[in-house]
Amino acid sequence: MSKQIKPGSTIGIIGGGQLGRMMAFSAKERGYRIAVLDPTPDCPTAQVADWHIEAAYDDLEALKELAERSDVLTYEFENVDAQTIERVLEKVAIAIPQGTELLLITQNRLNEKEFLKKAGISIASYAKIETEADLTEGLKTLGYPAVLKTIRGGYDGKGQVVLRSQSDIEEALDLLGKGTCVLEEWVSFDKEISIMVARNETGDVVTLPVSENIHQDNILLESIVPARVSEDTSKEAERMAKTIAEKMQLVGILGVELFLTESGKIYANELAPRPHNSGHYSIEACTESQFDLHIRAICGYPLPEVELLKPAVMINILGEHFDQALELNNTQPSWHVHDYGKIGVKVGRKMGHVTILTDNIEETLHAIDETKIWN
Ligand SMILES: Nc1ncnc2c1ncn2[C@@H]1O[C@H](COP(=O)(O)OP(=O)(O)O)[C@@H](O)[C@H]1O
Ligand SMILES: [Mg+2]
């Protein structure tokens, strides 16, 4: 086992958004110091970090400075260039326990799909698309509707086009103009669910309870935990997540997004090599949060089994909900209102989230409706 990163050491985080901020909270509680690399002044993580290196993620000198300041490195998003990180690691002897292999797989949808297939995990049929001819051929095989996705850089539904008929081809070709894509068969799912899995170098593997996710305009709106699915489905999701973690030799936390069909079949949709929005509920609802597990894992500590303390509903606060949602601090004192401290409120931008612990999910969903903030 490699050496443990002890409290008092510095954790360097590449990326300064809300995920880094919540990682930092968890790390601070355990006595660590935080250095963050992010180009935005006063970004969410910088507000709670000891050092902020204000530079681009692919700035080699800045990454080197981050590495020199830190005892261990982690990233809070997958679109960091793996090669740049490798170049830094050649110069500075520092661990990045999550590794760069994980990045190479998850920052490229094709690599991710190939990995999942090899790991024996069910995924929707797909085809690699580089030319108009590939697209025509792919649509012949997969049929309408289908989804065309860029292999790199997509998030919150950005970088995708749903093809329902021939008339969507133009839009799809525009997307293809940006680079190689993958065409996916449409999965007419009954529910979207997700599961977080953490693993450390010694091989402890633990999962968080399965979350049921409701999206609006392709952005996660709400997570319900436990997911309203059968015991068998939860067990199968857990098995899939653990298989993925083991085959990847994961260190840290990883989110697995899944589609559940009416007949009970589960397909993996995507992987996130980091904490995930649908795991935020774990801060209040679980014995360990996704951020706690991540910090423990990258610092080389054992991972405990996690229990759900209470069912929960998590709902995102986007720019358009922000002012009203902050009022919940007055009107709903038992709701946990998180504000990421972002400067600049924009429609569709994730500004915070609310977690509600509950004994009655349906009543809570109704109470959320009653606020009229999200409908
Ligand atoms: N093959 C598919 N069939 C049905 N719905 C899909 C498919 N792929 C994506 N979607 C829908 O689009 C959303 C976003 O797609 P996803 O691949 O998760 O990209 P990202 O979250 O990176 O934007 C999914 O959560 C799902 O609702
Ligand atoms: Mg997704």
Side-chain angles (χ1 to χ4, degrees):
M1 158 125 200
S2 61
K3 84 175 190 356
Q4 283 184 329
I5 309 294
K6 304 277 187 205
S9 310
T10 299
I11 300 175
I13 308 177
I14 303 168
Q18 63 267 24
L19 301 178
R21 178 182 172 102
M22 290 182 271
M23 265 184 210
F25 286 149
S26 183
K28 286 264 167 192
E29 193 180 309
R30 290 166 171 74
Y32 294 98
R33 288 178 182 274
I34 298 293
V36 61
L37 171 69
D38 191 285
T40 313
D42 206 27
C43 62
T45 312
Q47 292 169 20
V48 300
D50 300 273
W51 294 284
H52 179 196
I53 299 164
E54 229 177 272
Y57 312 115
D58 57 358
D59 179 329
L60 202 62
E61 278 311 303
L63 266 167
K64 202 166 140 256
E65 191 189 335
L66 180 77
E68 279 163 355
R69 266 202 195 277
S70 309
D71 299 290
V72 64
L73 283 183
T74 184
Y75 41 82
E76 59 124 44
F77 73 151
E78 56 273 39
N79 294 321
V80 230
D81 185 50
Q83 270 134 21
T84 314
I85 292 187
E86 271 164 11
R87 277 181 27 220
V88 171
L89 296 185
E90 280 164 16
K91 293 194 181 116
V92 185
I94 184 181
I96 178 153
Q98 284 155 289
T100 48
E101 181 68 22
L102 180 62
L103 279 179
L104 290 171
I105 297 172
T106 55
Q107 69 187 196
N108 179 311
R109 286 194 197 271
L110 267 173
N111 294 350
E112 188 170 290
K113 286 178 187 304
E114 274 156 28
F115 164 82
L116 288 167
K117 230 163 64 176
K118 252 203 350 262
I121 304 291
S122 300
I123 53 171
S125 304
Y126 68 96
K128 177 180 176 179
I129 307 293
E130 281 175 314
T131 61
E132 187 168 353
D134 292 345
L135 184 62
T136 314
E137 192 56 37
L139 283 167
K140 232 186 258 166
T141 319
L142 301 173
Y144 290 103
V147 198
L148 188 72
K149 301 179 181 178
T150 54
I151 59 170
R152 279 175 168 274
Y155 70 99
D156 288 346
K158 291 180 179 71
Q160 335 196 337
V161 172
V162 179
L163 289 120
R164 295 183 195 284
S165 69
Q166 189 105 34
S167 62
D168 296 318
I169 296 262
E170 274 309 305
E171 202 189 336
L173 288 176
D174 283 348
L175 187 67
L176 191 55
K178 293 180 185 141
T180 307
C181 287
V182 19
L183 185 70
E184 274 177 41
E185 153 198 38
W186 185 258
V187 180
S188 57
F189 54 79
D190 181 38
K191 280 196 161 103
E192 290 195 72
I193 57 177
S194 61
I195 182 164
M196 303 303 305
V197 59
R199 184 180 174 279
N200 65 11
E201 236 165 65
T202 332
D204 294 349
V205 185
V206 299
T207 52
L208 289 181
V210 177
S211 151
E212 174 182 341
N213 304 320
I214 295 157
H215 292 80
Q216 208 170 62
D217 303 325
N218 279 319
I219 303 179
L220 179 70
L221 178 69
E222 215 165 39
S223 288
I224 298 168
V225 189
R228 294 166 296 180
V229 299
S230 71
E231 177 84 19
D232 281 355
T233 296
S234 295
K235 284 255 148 43
E236 177 58 10
E238 210 175 285
R239 189 200 62 79
M240 288 165 87
K242 287 186 170 171
T243 303
I244 292 167
E246 268 150 16
K247 297 253 159 141
M248 267 185 171
Q249 294 287 293
L250 174 74
V251 176
I253 194 133
L254 172 108
V256 184
E257 296 179 9
L258 303 160
F259 295 139
L260 173 65
T261 68
E262 205 140 16
S263 65
K265 192 160 168 42
I266 307 178
Y267 295 92
N269 172 34
E270 355 169 55
L271 306 178
R274 50 165 170 83
H276 189 265
N277 195 167
S278 69
H280 291 355
Y281 76 89
S282 59
I283 295 174
E284 287 91 3
C286 292
T287 47
E288 295 280 320
S289 76
Q290 59 171 345
F291 303 101
D292 299 333
L293 292 174
H294 183 68
I295 296 298
R296 291 192 69 90
I298 63 166
C299 292
Y301 285 87
L303 303 180
E305 290 297 328
V306 180
E307 276 172 58
L308 185 68
L309 296 166
K310 213 165 176 172
V313 178
M314 188 280 322
I315 183 155
N316 270 336
I317 302 173
L318 303 182
E320 57 271 36
H321 312 129
F322 190 56
D323 290 341
Q324 277 179 290
L326 288 188
E327 236 341 84
L328 294 170
N329 283 313
N330 283 315
T331 54
Q332 296 287 357
S334 68
W335 293 12
H336 300 270
V337 180
H338 294 242
D339 178 345
Y340 304 148
K342 288 187 187 173
I343 315 297
V345 185
K346 272 190 233 143
V347 172
R349 187 173 197 205
K350 289 176 180 168
M351 302 301 296
H353 70 267
V354 184
T355 299
I356 308 165
L357 300 184
T358 176
D359 288 316
N360 187 326
I361 297 268
E362 300 307 321
E363 261 174 31
T364 298
L365 293 176
H366 182 67
I368 291 172
D369 269 352
E370 295 274 278
T371 66
K372 301 205 163 31
I373 299 173
W374 287 275
N375 34 18

